Amino acid sequence: MPQKTIRDLIRTIPDFPKPGILFRDVTTLLSDAGGFSLTIDQMAEPYADSNIDIVVGLEARGFILGGAVAYRLGAGFVPVRKAGKLPGEVISTSYSLEYGEAVFELHADAIRPGQRVLIVDDLLATGGTAAAGVTLIRQTGAQIEACAFVVDLPGLGGRARLHEMGAAVLALCAFEGS
């Protein structure tokens, strides 16, 4: 029996969170020990020789993936959180969601100018969340090496949006449609 791929281990849930949406659930991938290990290996490998200083995980599944990728790369890990979750001085940026606006925050002293950063999250759809992460990290003067995702939904334009911002994109698999 052939070994399952990362794509095979991602569950699709129809009509969630609303009718017509095919939700790509990575929790089934994360709960599979072999699949989780393969995911971290494949996310980290392209950057093994890039001297990444900091891996940034976008709330919330980016924390799970980003922490493991940072460990694999021998880099530090920094969370980008939703507003009001971090103590101390923060920098922030707002971004649009389909239902309104949200705010991302980062500790003001978490990333230094010139550090090499890899942004990690589970899924790239319209790119709004990732673009906010890019904007926030650029405020620190750091250099963004790339944005890495498990899943890309290419029909929703996120990759093109990040490319327009000058950010390289890695996605381990893609699903057409919504």
Side-chain angles (χ1 to χ4, degrees):
M1 180 176 193
Q3 184 176 357
K4 289 190 174 187
T5 66
I6 288 171
R7 193 176 195 283
D8 294 335
L9 293 168
I10 296 169
R11 173 174 50 190
T12 298
I13 300 173
D15 299 321
F16 182 83
K18 60 185 184 180
I21 301 293
L22 295 173
F23 185 82
R24 308 306 177 167
D25 180 17
V26 300
T27 63
T28 51
L29 170 65
L30 300 176
S31 70
D32 183 279
F36 183 61
S37 181
L38 181 64
T39 299
I40 299 310
D41 288 346
Q42 288 187 11
M43 289 185 98
E45 192 278 327
Y47 310 103
D49 296 323
S50 296
N51 297 314
I52 299 295
D53 297 302
I54 299 290
V55 174
V56 166
L58 303 179
E59 189 162 335
R61 287 173 296 276
F63 298 170
I64 299 163
L65 298 162
V69 170
Y71 175 78
R72 185 66 44 91
L73 293 175
F77 174 77
V78 172
V80 167
R81 303 287 321 259
K82 292 178 182 166
K85 303 286 185 179
L86 293 172
E89 186 182 347
V90 297
I91 56 174
S92 63
T93 190
S94 61
Y95 61 102
S96 296
L97 299 167
E98 55 208 43
Y99 52 84
E101 252 191 27
V103 175
F104 261 166
E105 294 181 336
L106 171 71
H107 276 128
D109 61 355
I111 302 172
R112 294 184 308 279
Q115 286 189 303
R116 296 175 62 82
V117 174
L118 175 64
I119 299 173
V120 173
D121 205 0
D122 66 324
L123 187 133
L124 176 59
T126 64
T129 301
V134 167
T135 299
L136 190 59
I137 290 156
R138 285 189 174 150
Q139 289 180 38
T140 71
Q143 177 183 335
I144 298 171
E145 179 71 19
C147 300
F149 304 91
V150 177
V151 176
D152 182 12
L153 302 178
L156 298 180
R159 181 180 292 264
R161 183 175 186 176
L162 292 176
H163 283 167
E164 287 172 9
M165 295 179 77
V169 174
L170 167 75
L172 302 184
C173 66
F175 289 89
E176 293 301 328
S178 57

